[in-house]
Amino acid sequence: MRDIHNILILTGAGISAESGVATFRGPGGLWEGHRVEDVCTPEALERDRAQVHRFYDARREQLAAVEPNAAHRALARLDAEWAGDLLLVTQNVDDLHERAGSKRLLHMHGELKSALCARCEARQPWEAALPPGHICPACGASALRPDIVFFGEMPYRMDVIEQALAKADLFVSIGTSGAVYPAAGFVQTARYHGAATLELNLDPSEGSLWFAESRMGPAGTLVPAWVDELLG
Ligand code: APR
């Protein structure tokens, strides 16, 4: 196996589960209580803007009540100490990786603490509730929406992600079910480019067969152990 210099890490809702943030699928998951079609599609925003805003307002408000866990902190330590390239691509829209201290971080599905103008695509940090039709300070249109990538929309920064996948020596997937593309396909791209692949997850994911190694267990236990192993 080639030496490890460049690492690409993908995280999903499972890394935030031990912080008390609901995952999407599985017992008590967000998609059990809501229909994706009602809160996470462009059509839903057109059909019932207020319901979509309420769904993300509630999740944004909850962020004040949760803290990063040992897995987030271990990845922040790795970010600070790893001398090679490292990119943490998260599917999560919470701010727990930032609050733990991760810097080389990219939110491919957007962020709860950001508002996007549907007209001019300007973004601004957003902490409180986001009323439907709020005026965009950049262009004046009544078009601010949650800065969340809905189903059917293109995830952010795919060019940066593809470049990082092409040069990764190690691809690690943490806390994701492998149910949603393009993220679910990253392991195959990494393998194609010769990267070693490792999955850290509570249960086998839909993509487990693509990983050279899978470790099953809670992220709060597996991730610190893996980071210790990597940093020696
Ligand atoms: N530690 C590690 N893994 C865990 C833990 C834990 N404590 N708890 C749950 N998991 C795992 C589950 O086994 C599951 O495989 O995390 C995964 C969560 O899967 P999902 O709920 O499907 O979340 P995710 O994979 O992030 O969803 C991907 O789908 O709904 C869209 O845009 C949304 O970004 C999201 C995307």
Side-chain angles (χ1 to χ4, degrees):
M1 180 169 84
R2 68 193 191 203
D3 286 349
I4 296 174
H5 297 285
N6 305 329
I7 303 174
L8 178 60
I9 300 165
L10 172 70
T11 60
I15 198 168
S16 297
E18 289 158 86
S19 296
V21 179
T23 60
F24 292 95
R25 299 165 184 86
L30 279 169
W31 296 149
E32 278 191 356
H34 299 81
R35 288 174 355 111
V36 167
E37 300 76 9
D38 293 341
V39 291
C40 194
T41 61
E43 295 74 22
L45 200 59
E46 288 311 309
R47 188 172 54 245
D48 188 347
R49 187 178 298 267
Q51 174 173 275
V52 174
H53 280 243
R54 276 196 304 275
F55 177 71
Y56 291 100
D57 287 350
R59 293 175 63 198
R60 188 179 307 109
E61 188 180 5
Q62 191 219 12
L63 292 180
V66 298
E67 296 291 332
N69 63 55
H72 298 105
R73 291 194 298 273
L75 292 186
R77 176 182 161 224
L78 182 61
D79 187 313
E81 298 182 20
W82 187 255
D85 281 353
L86 181 139
L87 179 62
L88 170 51
V89 177
T90 187
Q91 299 173 91
N92 300 340
V93 294
D94 63 52
D95 61 346
L96 295 176
H97 282 306
E98 292 87 336
R99 286 164 56 191
S102 284
K103 305 283 184 228
R104 295 181 273 183
L105 169 65
L106 185 165
H107 283 269
M108 66 180 286
H109 287 168
E111 299 174 65
L112 286 170
K113 290 200 168 178
S114 173
L116 171 71
C117 177
R119 174 76 61 78
C120 73
E121 299 196 339
R123 285 186 177 78
Q124 44 249 309
W126 206 272
E127 296 285 334
L130 178 60
H134 201 286
I135 301 293
C136 168
C139 75
S142 160
L144 281 193
R145 57 166 273 191
D147 187 8
I148 301 292
V149 177
F150 291 149
F151 285 95
E153 294 181 329
M154 178 57 75
Y156 295 150
R157 318 290 301 283
M158 285 303 295
D159 53 339
V160 171
I161 295 169
E162 295 291 352
Q163 284 165 17
L165 280 169
K167 65 178 196 179
D169 303 307
L170 174 60
F171 173 74
V172 185
S173 176
I174 304 170
T176 181
S177 59
V180 175
Y181 285 80
F186 289 173
V187 59
Q188 296 169 57
T189 306
R191 281 180 71 114
Y192 172 79
H193 290 291
T197 53
L198 170 64
E199 177 181 51
L200 307 178
N201 211 57
L202 190 63
D203 312 304
S205 71
E206 293 187 30
S208 288
L209 75 156
W210 292 103
F211 287 88
E213 183 186 357
S214 282
R215 300 179 191 174
M216 297 292 112
T221 306
L222 292 186
V223 179
W226 170 65
V227 169
D228 287 346
E229 198 181 289
L230 199 63
L231 294 177

